[in-house]
Amino acid sequence: MSVTVFPRRVRAPVRSQVRQIPVYITGTGAFLPRDPVGSDRMEDYIGIIDGCHSAMGRRALPWNGIERRHYALDTNGHWLHSNASMSADAVRLALKDAGLEPDDLDCLAATTMRGDRPAPDHAGAVHVELGGRTPDLANFQSVCASPLLAAKHAWMAVRGGQASSAAIVAGEFNSRWSRPTFHEAETPPDFLRFTLSDGAGAVIMQDAPRAEGLSLRVDWIDVTSLAGRFNERTCVGAGEDFAMPRSMIPAWIGAYLEKVDSGCVDPAHIDHLLWHYAARSLGDEIVAQLETTDAMIPRDRWFTTLAERGNVGSASIWIMLDDLMKSGKPRAGERIMCIVPESRRAALGMMMLEVVGPGQVLRP
C-alpha cells in the first residue's frame, strides 16, 4: 500500500554571525519509582472502575507492547512520591553522572504533562525539592514533545553564554489520574490508563565535554508545530484507541523528511535512532510508512525501552537516552538522533547529537 505524506518543504538552516559556544550533554539520569509492575497487576495500582475489569485496557496491552511499568503509588492509591520529587531525583542522578552538584546549575528547565498542582509552575516545585542556589528557571507544559522545548531553551542559554551548565528534566505521575477516586469525570480513557506510567528523566548540558567518559555534542534542536494542519477535534479528542495519533503519522514523517531534504539529516549516517512512540503498534506503523520513502534509517539502529520502562510521557525520551548511554553501545564519532512526536497538539521535536570522547571539543 502506498503512503501519502504531507508535501516536503526545504528550509535552509539559519546561520548566525554571533559566536556560538558548543554545547554538550555530560550527564543523564532516570528515576523510576518502586519495582516494575507486570501487566497482570496493573489494576492493583490504577484501580478498577465501576467494579469491572477493563476489557478495553486488556486490548490496549497488545497494541502498546508494554510488559512492565513503574507506579509512584501503592495498591491503596497512596502517593509515595510527587512529580516534583521524582523530577528532582532524576536531576540528582544526572548531576552525579556529570560530576556536578545542584549549586553548579545556572539553568533549570522542567516540563511535564501535568504537574502536582495547577499552579505555580512545575520548574519551581522541582527546585524546591532539589535545593541549591537560584538558577534561571524555565517551565514548559505540553505532552511528549515538551522535553525538547525545554532542551532547546537550555541549549540556547548555554550556546549563547548565558549559562555554563543547565539541567533539563521531565517528570510524570500519570497513575494518580488513572485512579477511579480521582475526579471520575476526568479519569482518562482505558487505553491511556493501561499505557501511561510514572517516572522522570533528566540530562545535563554544559559548555565543555566531560574530562572522563563520553559526552554528547548537541548539534541542533528543532520543534515543529503541525497543529495548523489539523482541526481542534483531531488534535484534542482522545478517543478510545490510537486512531488519533495514527492519523498524524504522515505529518510527522513529512516534517522529518524536510530535515532530510535540507541536509540536516543523512539517514545513512545515523548510528542510533531514539524515536519515541506511545505504543508498539504506532512504532510499527511509523516504520511501515518510512519504508516507502528514501529516508528510512535501518531498523537495527532503532533503540527503544518501551516494553521494559513503559510510556512515561514527556520523560520517555530522557529515560531512553539514559538507557542508551548506560548500555555501552555508543562510540565516539557516532551520531544519535532523537525524534519525539506529539499528537495532542500535533508537533514533532528532533535533536541531533554526536558522541565525543573525553575532553574532545568538536566544532559544529
Side-chain angles (χ1 to χ4, degrees), residues 49 114 176-180 182-189 193:
I49 295 178
R114 200 166 191 174
R176 61 183 165 187
W177 317 119
S178 298
R179 295 281 301 179
F182 176 79
H183 238 288
E184 197 74 37
E186 292 190 28
T187 303
R193 293 178 69 238

Side-chain angles (χ1 to χ4, degrees), residues 77-228:
H78 298 145
W79 297 11
L80 303 174
H81 304 272
S82 67
N83 191 341
S85 71
M86 289 189 288
S87 297
D89 284 337
V91 173
R92 290 189 188 97
L93 291 168
L95 284 168
K96 182 179 180 180
D97 189 40
L100 300 176
E101 299 290 339
D103 280 342
D104 296 319
L105 287 177
D106 301 311
C107 173
L108 173 61
T111 184
T112 183
M113 292 194 293
R114 200 166 191 174
D116 294 315
R117 295 176 176 83
D121 61 281
H122 183 57
V126 174
H127 187 216
V128 169
E129 295 284 346
L130 181 65
R133 69 184 179 90
T134 306
D136 172 52
L137 281 183
N139 187 72
F140 297 85
Q141 186 168 4
S142 186
V143 196
C144 295
S146 58
L148 292 189
L149 290 170
K152 188 165 187 176
H153 172 90
W155 174 61
M156 293 174 69
V158 176
R159 199 175 185 218
Q162 297 182 10
S164 60
S165 60
I168 304 96
V169 62
E172 303 294 357
F173 195 164
N174 292 302
S175 62
R176 61 183 165 187
W177 317 119
S178 298
R179 295 281 301 179
T181 52
F182 176 79
H183 238 288
E184 197 74 37
E186 292 190 28
T187 303
D190 270 0
F191 85 95
L192 287 179
R193 293 178 69 238
F194 278 71
T195 297
L196 297 173
S197 53
D198 307 337
V203 298
I204 304 299
M205 288 185 183
Q206 292 184 267
D207 56 6
R210 298 167 58 118
E212 298 180 1
L214 298 176
S215 302
L216 302 173
R217 190 189 69 187
V218 184
D219 286 349
W220 53 265
I221 302 174
D222 183 86
V223 182
T224 300
S225 174
L226 306 167

Side-chain angles (χ1 to χ4, degrees), residues 270-289:
I270 302 299
D271 300 287
H272 306 280
L273 175 63
L274 280 59
W275 190 312
H276 167 68
Y277 39 82
R280 182 178 61 194
S281 60
L282 292 176
D284 291 343
E285 182 65 24
I286 290 168
V287 169
Q289 294 194 26

Side-chain angles (χ1 to χ4, degrees), residues 63-66 144 195-196 242 245 249 252 273-287 290 299 302-308 310-313 316-317 320 339-343 348:
W63 297 342
N64 62 41
I66 298 171
C144 295
T195 297
L196 297 173
F242 294 112
I249 291 175
W252 296 334
L273 175 63
L274 280 59
W275 190 312
H276 167 68
Y277 39 82
R280 182 178 61 194
S281 60
L282 292 176
D284 291 343
E285 182 65 24
I286 290 168
V287 169
L290 277 171
R299 196 71 174 92
W302 291 50
F303 181 87
T304 180
T305 54
L306 177 68
E308 299 82 18
N311 181 347
V312 197
S316 290
I317 192 64
M320 204 185 316
I339 300 181
V340 186
E342 180 169 315
S343 55
L348 187 75

